[in-house]
């Protein structure tokens, strides 16, 4: 049982160090919404989501009020829509995206995830049609998030899917060009995607999940940063211990909120994702954690080692605090959502090459990175392929969420507002990889995938 005394020590963290529950996310299976016509499917999707998650926002607000714990977002994730829609046309899939968006507005949630497909080994007709619909779907909706899994350690990398996603990202950027190409901020390409992730834009309700579940994503970079400051000039073993103890307290709060939400909604408890998810707010930055460890600037030499220590200690502390840890669970390094990362890019300390190296030891990957709007499809595909290869080779989740900001170049920035923040346009290599991407087919799975 969770004792509320376990979270009393977190009050100062909430008040002074930006500690919050980043999201309560309800996962909903939509398998029973399949039908013979797109209109029927859309009606079933809307009705099931709005009925099942009817009290989600209300319960989240009640828990927030009773415990004094900020709960920033209430969200829904659903079965990948390509598995529900059948062999409908791309236009029909856009209708389903609009049904999801309508449901999100009705519920009052900020995002709904699951408009996606799993194509790590090949395309079904419905998966291909959904992917082709993504630019129109994201440009004609406000709250729908999309994800596509193009690789896994077991299957290798579907380079045909990587090539297609370069085209899809460019089209999405163009269709949302009047709003800083924001559609690309709601689209992520994965390797080894977790099926219980509560964070957007990659959340979806996995094929092995129950009919409904409720999961929680915690946060707290500011808390960890402050704890490291208080620890002073200690050695690395002591520093790791400080981070572990802090992560335990943060995750314990998440466990409490998840248990309460599960009880009040009468929905099974899924997981607590103990990721350190930053915001553009001052004092809520993963980059600043690394700098408090002793780096002159995030992106300088030593950054990858510092991030590896942080990520490992967060996981070790968090798993002791919850009976079910899942999702991504580690340290996020999204550029636009982290004030310290933004500063590091602006001063030239942090490059996309260094970010790629850092993703080998942390959660997710190249996240919320703005790149020049004239970046070619093959370069975007190369960025995806490089990052996805890190995930496949290291048996970990990696992802790419890049925004080719239409009409903008290095020296400009994009402004999304809210948790999405703003980002300077990052410089890319001037050399392309068109002939490499054009080979097509699959990059085989690594030898260590053969574990049976």
């Amino acid at each position: 049982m969770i004792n509320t005394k376990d979270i009393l020590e977190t009050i100062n963290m909430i008040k002074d160090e930006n500690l919050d529950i980043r999201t309560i996310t309800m996962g909903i299976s939509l398998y029973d919404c399949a039908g013979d016509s797109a209109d029927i499917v859309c009606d079933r999707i809307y009705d099931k989501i709005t009925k099942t998650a009817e009290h989600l926002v209300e319960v989240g607000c009640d828990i927030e009020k009773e415990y004094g714990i900020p709960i920033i977002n209430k969200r829904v994730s659903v079965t990948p829509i390509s598995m529900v829609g059948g062999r409908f046309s791309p236009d029909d899939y856009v209708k389903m995206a609009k049904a999801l968006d309508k449901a999100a507005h009705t519920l009052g949630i900020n995002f709904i995830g699951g408009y996606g497909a799993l194509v790590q080994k090949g395309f079904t007709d419905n998966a291909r049609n959904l992917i082709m619909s993504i630019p129109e779907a994201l440009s004609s909706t406000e709250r729908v998030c999309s994800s596509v899994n193009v690789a896994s350690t077991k299957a290798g990398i579907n380079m045909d899917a990587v090539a297609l996603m370069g085209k899809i990202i460019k089209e999405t950027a163009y269709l949302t060009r009047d709003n800083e190409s924001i559609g690309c901020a709601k689209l992520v390409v994965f390797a080894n995607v977790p099926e219980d992730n509560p964070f957007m834009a990659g959340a979806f309700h996995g094929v092995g999940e129950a009919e409904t579940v409720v999961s929680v994503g915690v946060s707290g970079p500011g808390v960890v940063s402050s704890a490291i400051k208080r620890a002073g000039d200690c050695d690395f073993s002591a520093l790791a211990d400080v981070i572990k103890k802090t992560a335990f307290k943060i995750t314990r709060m998440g466990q409490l909120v998840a248990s309460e939400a599960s009880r009040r909604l009468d929905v099974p408890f899924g997981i607590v994702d103990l990721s350190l998810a930053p915001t553009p707010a001052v004092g809520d930055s993963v980059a600043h954690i690394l700098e408090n460890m002793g780096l002159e600037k995030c992106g300088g030499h030593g950054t990858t080692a510092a991030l590896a220590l942080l990520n490992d200690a967060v996981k070790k502390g968090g798993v002791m605090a919850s009976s079910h840890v899942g999702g991504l669970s580690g340290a996020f390094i999204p550029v636009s959502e982290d004030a310290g990362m933004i500063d590091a890019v602006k001063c030239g300390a942090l490059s996309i090459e260094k970010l790629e190296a850092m993703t080998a030891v942390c959660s997710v990957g190249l996240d919320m990175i703005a790149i020049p709007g004239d970046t070619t499809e093959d370069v975007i595909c190369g960025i995806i392929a490089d990052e996805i290869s890190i995930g496949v080779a290291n048996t970990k989740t990696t992802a790419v969420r890049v925004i080719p900001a239409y009409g903008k170049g290095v020296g400009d920035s994009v402004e999304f507002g809210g948790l999405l923040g703003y980002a300077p346009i990052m410089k890319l290599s001037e050399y392309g990889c068109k002939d490499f991407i054009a080979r097509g087919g699959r990059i085989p799975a690594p030898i260590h995938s053969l574990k049976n």
Side-chain angles (χ1 to χ4, degrees):
M1 294 294 292
I2 300 296
N3 190 322
T4 56
K5 292 181 180 179
D6 290 339
I7 68 163
L8 291 178
E9 193 176 354
T10 67
I11 298 302
N12 286 336
M13 299 178 185
I14 294 168
K15 180 181 177 183
D16 301 323
E17 299 168 356
N18 298 306
L19 177 61
D20 58 53
I21 296 295
R22 187 55 49 85
T23 181
I24 293 179
T25 302
M26 179 180 285
I28 302 173
S29 172
L30 297 184
Y31 284 121
D32 55 351
C33 295
D36 293 331
S37 79
D39 291 336
I40 290 173
V41 174
C42 288
D43 288 343
R44 289 175 178 173
I45 287 173
Y46 175 83
D47 290 344
K48 182 163 188 183
I49 293 171
T50 53
K51 180 180 179 181
T52 305
E54 179 182 5
H55 300 294
L56 176 64
V57 173
E58 175 191 346
V59 165
C61 291
D62 287 346
I63 294 173
E64 184 176 20
K65 186 184 302 181
E66 290 178 32
Y67 288 95
I69 300 170
I71 300 174
I72 307 303
N73 300 301
K74 295 84 178 174
R75 297 167 171 171
V76 167
S77 64
V78 298
T79 306
I81 293 298
S82 64
M83 296 182 175
V84 179
R87 295 179 63 178
F88 292 129
S89 69
D91 288 342
D92 288 332
Y93 276 107
V94 172
K95 290 181 181 178
M96 294 175 210
K98 292 179 178 178
L100 292 173
D101 199 50
K102 181 181 176 183
H105 280 273
T106 299
L107 293 172
I109 58 176
N110 73 319
F111 284 125
I112 185 165
Y115 192 78
L118 307 175
V119 293
Q120 57 267 26
K121 203 168 183 179
F123 295 98
T124 60
D125 290 341
N126 46 324
R128 188 183 294 275
N129 285 342
L130 181 137
I131 292 171
M132 295 302 296
S133 77
I134 286 174
E136 181 64 29
L138 295 185
S139 64
S140 60
T141 61
E142 181 184 359
R143 304 184 185 187
V144 173
C145 290
S146 180
S147 63
V148 178
N149 192 67
V150 300
S152 71
T153 299
K154 277 289 188 182
I157 306 173
N158 182 351
M159 289 300 292
D160 293 329
V162 170
L164 180 56
M165 289 312 299
K167 172 183 172 66
I168 294 300
I169 289 169
K170 285 286 286 186
E171 289 183 4
T172 303
Y174 178 77
L175 289 180
T176 56
R177 63 193 181 278
D178 293 334
N179 193 15
E180 306 276 41
S181 297
I182 195 172
C184 297
K186 299 182 289 179
L187 172 60
V188 58
V189 183
F190 272 108
N192 293 319
V193 64
E195 299 191 13
D196 56 3
N197 168 27
F199 285 102
M200 301 295 170
F204 69 92
H205 189 64
V207 296
E209 296 286 336
E211 185 71 14
T212 55
V213 297
V214 62
S215 297
V216 162
V218 300
S219 187
V223 178
V224 176
S225 187
S226 296
I228 292 171
K229 276 186 179 180
R230 290 192 297 269
D233 190 19
C234 59
D235 67 20
F236 286 117
S237 295
L239 184 63
D241 199 47
V242 167
I243 296 170
K244 284 190 290 184
K245 290 176 179 177
T246 306
F248 177 90
K249 296 169 188 174
I250 294 170
T251 308
R252 201 64 173 160
M253 185 184 74
Q255 173 79 5
L256 169 68
V257 171
S259 298
E260 276 297 298
S262 171
R263 181 181 66 80
R264 298 183 190 200
L265 291 166
D266 194 24
V267 169
F269 162 43
I271 56 96
V272 174
D273 188 315
L274 50 88
S275 297
L276 296 180
T279 73
V282 174
D284 202 24
S285 162
V286 169
H288 289 160
I289 294 175
L290 306 180
E291 290 166 8
N292 285 341
M293 290 184 183
L295 300 177
E296 182 177 354
K297 201 70 177 177
C298 180
H301 297 296
T303 298
T304 305
L307 184 58
L309 184 154
L310 172 66
N311 206 58
D312 181 67
V314 166
K315 291 177 185 289
K316 286 175 177 174
V319 296
M320 294 298 293
S322 174
S323 54
H324 298 287
V325 170
L328 296 160
S329 289
F332 288 1
I333 52 171
V335 172
S336 79
E337 300 173 10
D338 187 308
M341 295 289 178
I342 295 168
D343 290 342
V345 170
K346 290 172 71 174
C347 77
L350 186 60
S351 66
I352 194 166
E353 291 81 9
K354 185 60 178 179
L355 275 167
E356 183 181 306
M358 293 163 65
T359 64
V361 299
C362 75
S363 297
V364 195
L366 296 173
D367 194 22
M368 287 301 291
I369 295 173
I371 60 176
D374 61 0
T375 303
T376 60
E377 287 180 19
D378 68 283
V379 169
I380 294 173
C381 293
I383 293 170
I384 295 171
D386 284 344
E387 183 58 35
I388 293 309
S389 296
I390 291 175
V392 170
N394 292 283
T395 319
K396 69 184 292 292
T397 299
T398 54
V400 175
R401 186 164 46 151
V402 293
I403 301 100
Y406 189 83
K408 296 193 175 185
V410 176
D412 297 325
S413 63
V414 290
E415 177 73 51
F416 299 120
L419 287 176
L420 294 178
Y422 77 97
I425 307 296
M426 296 192 73
K427 181 180 179 181
L428 303 179
S429 172
E430 61 188 70
Y431 300 102
C433 53
K434 185 176 181 179
D435 291 342
F436 176 73
I437 300 300
R439 288 179 180 272
R442 279 194 290 139
I443 293 179
I447 188 64
H448 58 258
S449 69
L450 301 176
K451 294 182 178 180
N452 292 334

